[in-house]
Amino acid sequence: MLERDATGKVTQRGICTLPDARELPVTVNDEQGTTASEGDVRVFAGLRSDPFYLAWIAATLKKVPNLLQHNNVLCMVVEFDTRRVLDPDKGSLFGAIAETVPTEPPGPIGHPPARIDWIGRPEQTNIRLNNPALFGVDDIRDLWNQQTPFAISKELQPLFLQRLKDSFADWDMRDGKADWTPEALAANANVFLDDFLLFDVAKPITDESHLEIEKSTIDGRSYQTGGGRTVDANSIDILLTWLVNHDREFLLGGATGATKPGMKVFPYLATPNTELQIIAESVELPAAPEEVWSLIGQFGGAWHPLVAKVSLTGTGTGQLRTIGTVDGKEMVERLEAIDNAKRFFRYTNIAGIPASHYAGILEVTPNGSGCTVVWRVQFLANNQTDAAVRRIVSPLLRTGLESLKSRFGVPIHGT
C-alpha cells in the first residue's frame, strides 16, 4: 500500500503474516523494522545492497570481477529467536526455502501467474540443473520452478536426478581431473535433488560452513558446524570447489566479497548502493578542436557508425533526439546544455537504456597541436546489473571514438 503525505513524500507499507496468523505492519525501508509485541520476531522489508557475489563465467569457469557489483535487491529480513520459534529440543536440524508465491488465483483466461525461482541453496537452477556447459540440452529451469519445495514430483525426480548427474560429471572434469567416484557423484546428485538450505541451530554457522552438513553426509563423517549460509558467505566459490575438485583445492573467483559486506546488526544487509557509476572513454587526435567539433558537436548529427538514423524534436536546450541504431534498437535523449565555444554538450537518457540518473557529456579540448575528445556517461543501473548497462554503453562510446581515428588518427584510452 502506498501513502502520500502533504509534501508528496510516498511511503510504502505492508503486512507480514506469521505462520501463527499474527500480523506485523511493515514500513518499507524502515531500518528498525517491526518487532512483534512478544519480542520473538522482527521483520524488515526494503532495498539493500546485494550480499551475493558471483565472479565466474560459469560456462568456461573463467574468473571475472563480481558480475553483481553495485546491485541492489528488494528483500525481506525475518529475525526470530530459534529457541522460541523452532523448538530445537525436538531436533535442531532444519531445511528452509524462500519463494515468491502469486497472491492472485489464476483467472479464467490464460496461464496462472509464473512462479519465480524458489531458492534453498544458491544456484540450483543456473549452475546445477542448467549447467551452461551442457550444450544442446533442454532448459528445465521452468519445470523445476513448478515443483513444490520438499515434495519434488516423484514422476519427475528421475529426470532431475539424471540432469544433476550429467551436470556434476561435467563440473568434475572442468579442471581435467576426476575427483569424484561414480558412487560419490551419484550421492551428491541425490543430496541436491530436493533443494533446501540445510542448517543446524545447535551448532555455529559461520562464513565458511555453507554445505558442510551435506559434504559430511556424503563423505560419511559427522558434521561440525551448523551449515547454513551467512550474509557474507562465499557460497559460489564453496559450491564450485565442491563440484569441480571435491574440496581438493579451494577455487577463488575474481572477487573476494560483495559490493558491501553485511552488517552485524539488524537488518544485516548493507545500505543500498546509490553511487553513480561512470564510463569514460577518450581519444587524442592530431586535428584542430574546431575541426573535430564541427563533426561531432551537432546534437542531431549521425556521425556515429552504430547509428542508423537520428531525428530531432524541438530546438535548443531541451530538444529530444531519437536514435535508431544499426541493430534496430532505439534511444531517446534530451539535450541539457551545449556550449559551442567550449565545445561540449550534456544530455540525459529518456528511454532505451535500462538506467536512471543517466547523463552523458561529450567534449573536445585542445591538446598541443591537436585535441582530446572525452565521452563520459554516469548512471545508476535500473532493473539490470551494472555490468549489463556497461555492455550496452561502453561499445557505443568506444566504437564512436574509435571511428574518429579513421578520420583523424591515433589510439584510444579507456577507464
Side-chain angles (χ1 to χ4, degrees):
M1 178 175 60
L2 295 177
E3 298 175 351
R4 190 183 301 274
D5 64 18
T7 67
K9 180 182 177 182
V10 175
T11 300
Q12 185 177 13
R13 304 185 193 280
I15 300 291
C16 178
T17 304
L18 303 179
D20 59 8
R22 285 182 292 167
E23 293 186 341
L24 298 183
V26 178
T27 300
V28 173
N29 292 327
D30 176 7
E31 285 199 350
Q32 298 304 310
T34 303
T35 302
S37 58
E38 294 81 0
D40 57 341
V41 180
R42 188 179 186 185
V43 177
F44 165 86
L47 191 69
R48 308 301 284 183
S49 179
D50 191 347
F52 190 58
Y53 57 107
L54 171 63
W56 297 93
I57 299 299
T60 58
L61 206 59
K62 177 185 176 183
K63 294 182 182 182
V64 294
N66 180 18
L67 296 171
L68 307 176
Q69 191 74 7
H70 301 117
N71 269 19
N72 293 320
V73 290
L74 285 171
C75 68
M76 288 196 68
V77 177
V78 181
E79 180 185 59
F80 58 86
D81 185 338
T82 58
R83 294 163 299 184
R84 297 171 62 182
V85 175
L86 297 180
D87 196 4
D89 289 340
K90 296 179 180 178
S92 58
L93 189 62
F94 293 89
I97 65 99
E99 184 177 23
T100 303
V101 181
T103 56
E104 297 292 332
I109 300 176
H111 300 286
R115 295 171 69 170
I116 303 174
D117 262 19
W118 55 273
I119 182 170
R121 310 171 186 95
E123 298 298 346
Q124 174 75 342
T125 50
N126 295 327
I127 284 183
R128 293 194 289 272
L129 282 172
N130 205 52
N131 180 344
L134 296 181
F135 299 106
V137 300
D138 292 332
D139 186 339
I140 59 174
R141 289 176 292 182
D142 285 347
L143 186 63
W144 172 261
N145 282 323
Q146 294 173 40
Q147 301 304 301
T148 301
F150 302 106
I152 305 302
S153 161
K154 291 188 179 301
E155 185 179 64
L156 293 174
Q157 283 187 15
L159 183 151
F160 294 128
L161 186 60
Q162 187 58 53
R163 174 59 64 85
L164 288 170
K165 289 179 179 176
D166 293 342
S167 172
F168 290 178
D170 170 78
W171 280 112
D172 181 27
M173 294 306 297
R174 288 294 189 94
D175 60 358
K177 299 177 181 177
D179 291 285
W180 289 84
T181 65
E183 295 75 18
L185 191 145
N188 200 30
N190 270 313
V191 164
F192 284 97
L193 178 58
D194 200 347
D195 183 43
F196 43 80
L197 187 67
L198 195 60
F199 59 97
D200 190 328
V201 296
K203 293 180 179 292
I205 297 176
T206 71
D207 291 346
E208 291 76 34
S209 65
H210 181 53
L211 298 182
E212 203 264 329
I213 298 175
E214 291 91 332
K215 294 176 182 179
S216 299
T217 302
I218 292 171
D219 289 344
R221 55 183 171 81
S222 299
Y223 60 87
Q224 303 300 311
T225 72
R229 175 189 171 192
T230 64
V231 170
D232 291 329
N234 187 352
S235 54
I236 284 296
D237 291 356
I238 290 172
L239 171 64
L240 293 183
T241 298
W242 178 246
L243 294 179
V244 173
N245 64 43
H246 204 161
D247 281 356
R248 172 171 45 81
E249 178 183 6
F250 190 74
L251 295 178
L252 183 62
T256 57
T259 310
K260 295 179 180 178
M263 305 190 303
K264 300 301 182 186
V265 297
F266 188 88
Y268 305 109
L269 275 66
T271 54
N273 300 297
T274 57
E275 300 83 6
L276 288 171
Q277 300 305 301
I278 295 175
I279 302 173
E281 300 283 353
S282 65
V283 63
E284 296 177 1
L285 300 171
E290 296 80 6
E291 183 182 0
V292 176
W293 185 247
S294 67
L295 174 69
I296 67 175
Q298 302 299 314
F299 189 59
W303 58 274
H304 197 295
L306 296 182
V307 172
K309 61 179 181 180
V310 180
S311 60
L312 292 175
T313 302
T315 58
T317 301
Q319 69 180 150
L320 303 177
R321 67 178 178 186
T322 301
I323 300 172
T325 62
V326 294
D327 60 354
K329 296 183 175 63
E330 186 174 276
M331 292 176 288
V332 180
E333 296 172 339
R334 179 168 56 207
L335 180 64
E336 302 293 346
I338 185 167
D339 190 326
N340 286 313
K342 295 182 179 178
R343 292 178 294 276
F344 83 90
F345 67 70
R346 178 165 53 87
Y347 63 96
T348 53
N349 180 263
I350 305 302
I353 300 291
S356 62
H357 300 77
Y358 185 107
I361 294 178
L362 182 64
E363 63 179 336
V364 181
T365 58
N367 183 1
S369 60
C371 67
T372 299
V373 182
V374 178
W375 198 347
R376 183 183 299 108
V377 165
Q378 65 181 30
F379 66 94
L380 284 177
N382 187 7
N383 292 325
Q384 293 284 341
T385 64
D386 279 358
V389 177
R390 288 178 181 277
R391 283 196 294 271
I392 297 171
V393 177
S394 290
L396 287 173
L397 273 57
R398 193 176 301 118
T399 302
L401 296 184
E402 184 76 13
S403 73
L404 299 179
K405 293 167 59 178
S406 64
R407 299 170 185 262
F408 306 107
V410 290
I412 186 170
H413 306 287
T415 59

